[in-house]
Amino acid sequence: MLAGADDGVEVRRMRVRAGTAAVAALLLAAGCSGGTAPVARETASTPGAVPRGTADTPQEPTRRLQGAPLSGATGLRLLVAADPPVIVDVDRGDLRPLPGAPRGGTVSVQGVDGGVLLQAGCPGCAAPGLFVMDSGSGRVRRIGAGVHAVPALDGRSVWVNDHQGSRCTLARLGLDGSTRAEARPVPCDRVLVADTALGLHWGALEEEGSEVIEPAGGRGEVFRAHRILAVVGDRVLSDDRTTLTLTDTGTGERTSVPRPTSIGGPSHGLVAPDGRSVAVSFDHPAWPGPRQRMDVWVLDLAAKRWRRMPSMPVHASLKRSGMAWTTDGRLVLAGRFDEVGDAVALWRPGDARLSLRGLRFPDTGADDFTVLAAG
């Protein structure tokens, strides 16, 4: 994640969208490495197999966030990116600064094995500092610096994108700051999005550019698309401008997945802990203007059917609202909502309605947060 509130928002709304203007300002444009993605075998979707929404969720007017009052203990604590980062206790309704956290700029947060990766930008810094918070002790320690960092798939290290003049590099650091992989040159017109089971997911800085997955060693290309929304094992959910496509990279089979709504652009998907579904928010910055629209859907990967989150679509401040899965399969929606204010909503797919509680978040809202504990 990058310094700057709006920058972090856009990188996460790739979310967790590569190609932001802020990243472009940090990375110097250079030539893109070549390569051709494998040709995938196209299969015809069964008519009606992937409807534009479930039968009981027709397209509805945008409205305020609604749900049953959240009662009982949830066990939820959220670490919310801010200056400084704050811990929000959902049950007690309070928030407190994270002790020992970096200050002086925007801090982004990402979960790693046994803790949280924090990236803090500050005025005049050559590159944002990288810190790790241990979830057991709460201790925060610095492990390095870099323009952009994402957790490695092993959960115990991080990939770090950096730039020195016109030279861009990628290295891997352990959570203790040790070097796991020496820095190697990488193209300057891409930003690292995530480490996946297929390899490293890169996003193009140009708005109309494509995103690719390549092995960690950087040799060859595994998959290319206009935008990659989620990677689940060998499968890739991608946005090819007019439709969404689910591709099995092992067999090359491609299945068209019609968008459940014609309004708004899809965020990067959040894969459920069990790997069976992906949550995607279809956001519109002015619908109807000047209000903003959020519409969250969950795609069942086996049935290839969409399920709409109850109460959707809602009016929300898109740059102050976000979502995350808990380890026990609940989807947490947190942020700032029109006519409601700051709130958190919990939903387990299949439930008829949300569980809702008003909370206080930092002025920057809760676009970037991670779950510290859940039940």
Side-chain angles (χ1 to χ4, degrees):
M1 302 299 173
L2 305 174
D6 289 352
D7 307 343
V9 167
E10 295 306 317
V11 171
R12 291 183 295 275
R13 285 196 178 279
M14 303 176 284
R15 16 122 237 74
V16 213
R17 294 172 179 137
T20 65
V23 183
L26 289 169
L27 300 181
L28 302 176
C32 179
S33 60
T36 303
V39 176
R41 178 168 58 88
E42 191 79 30
T43 60
S45 298
T46 304
V50 189
R52 296 187 63 83
T54 54
D56 59 344
T57 54
Q59 200 76 284
E60 296 174 352
T62 310
R63 58 195 180 197
R64 61 180 291 171
L65 187 68
Q66 302 176 50
L70 180 59
S71 60
T74 67
L76 281 175
R77 291 186 306 137
L78 312 178
L79 180 61
V80 180
D83 181 17
V86 298
I87 297 174
V88 178
D89 189 307
V90 173
D91 292 335
R92 296 191 303 186
D94 62 10
L95 73 166
R96 60 184 178 84
L98 175 64
R103 302 195 63 166
T106 299
V107 177
S108 66
V109 297
Q110 301 175 80
V112 292
D113 190 18
V116 177
L117 170 67
L118 302 97
Q119 186 161 2
C122 61
C125 287
L130 304 178
F131 301 80
V132 170
M133 185 208 77
D134 181 85
S135 58
S137 65
R139 178 172 170 263
V140 177
R141 62 186 184 278
R142 183 184 175 96
I143 64 169
V147 167
H148 185 58
V150 300
L153 197 61
D154 64 6
R156 299 183 295 277
S157 59
V158 298
W159 291 100
V160 184
N161 244 148
D162 204 359
H163 72 100
Q164 297 292 333
S166 60
R167 182 173 181 266
C168 298
T169 60
L170 177 70
R172 187 157 66 98
L173 299 179
L175 297 185
D176 59 358
S178 62
T179 300
R180 298 292 183 85
E182 295 289 345
R184 63 175 174 86
V186 294
C188 288
D189 61 349
R190 294 179 184 173
V191 61
L192 186 61
V193 177
D195 191 5
T196 77
L198 290 176
L200 299 178
H201 172 189
W202 294 90
L205 293 176
E206 293 79 8
E207 186 175 346
E208 292 302 317
S210 62
E211 300 188 17
V212 302
I213 296 172
E214 65 180 21
R219 296 183 179 87
E221 190 175 283
V222 179
F223 187 86
R224 177 186 289 268
H226 174 61
R227 284 188 64 224
I228 296 170
L229 303 184
V231 180
V232 189
D234 291 338
R235 293 173 294 176
V236 181
L237 180 65
S238 60
D239 176 12
D240 300 307
R241 297 183 179 89
T242 58
T243 187
L244 305 184
T245 303
L246 186 63
T247 303
D248 186 321
T249 60
T251 64
E253 181 178 342
R254 293 164 54 92
T255 304
S256 177
V257 182
R259 297 171 185 244
T261 174
S262 61
I263 301 172
S267 68
H268 265 55
L270 298 180
V271 181
D274 61 9
R276 297 178 179 177
S277 57
V278 178
V280 179
S281 181
F282 291 82
D283 302 332
H284 197 290
W287 185 275
R291 306 179 90 177
Q292 297 183 324
R293 181 185 195 269
M294 171 185 287
D295 196 0
V296 179
W297 294 76
V298 174
L299 176 65
D300 183 311
L301 294 173
K304 300 182 180 65
R305 290 183 64 92
W306 291 100
R307 180 186 296 273
R308 198 181 211 173
M309 176 183 269
S311 186
M312 295 292 133
V314 297
H315 291 298
S317 176
L318 297 180
K319 292 187 177 182
R320 290 177 173 80
S321 305
M323 59 183 181
W325 289 101
T326 65
T327 55
D328 60 0
R330 290 175 288 176
L331 192 56
V332 183
L333 182 63
R336 193 155 296 165
F337 304 92
D338 293 18
E339 303 174 358
V340 174
D342 289 357
V344 62
L346 302 184
W347 180 60
R348 193 181 298 276
D351 290 349
R353 57 182 177 174
L354 304 177
S355 296
L356 188 64
R357 176 174 293 169
L359 287 174
R360 183 167 61 95
F361 291 117
D363 291 341
T364 52
D367 170 76
D368 183 10
F369 71 91
T370 190
V371 178
L372 291 180

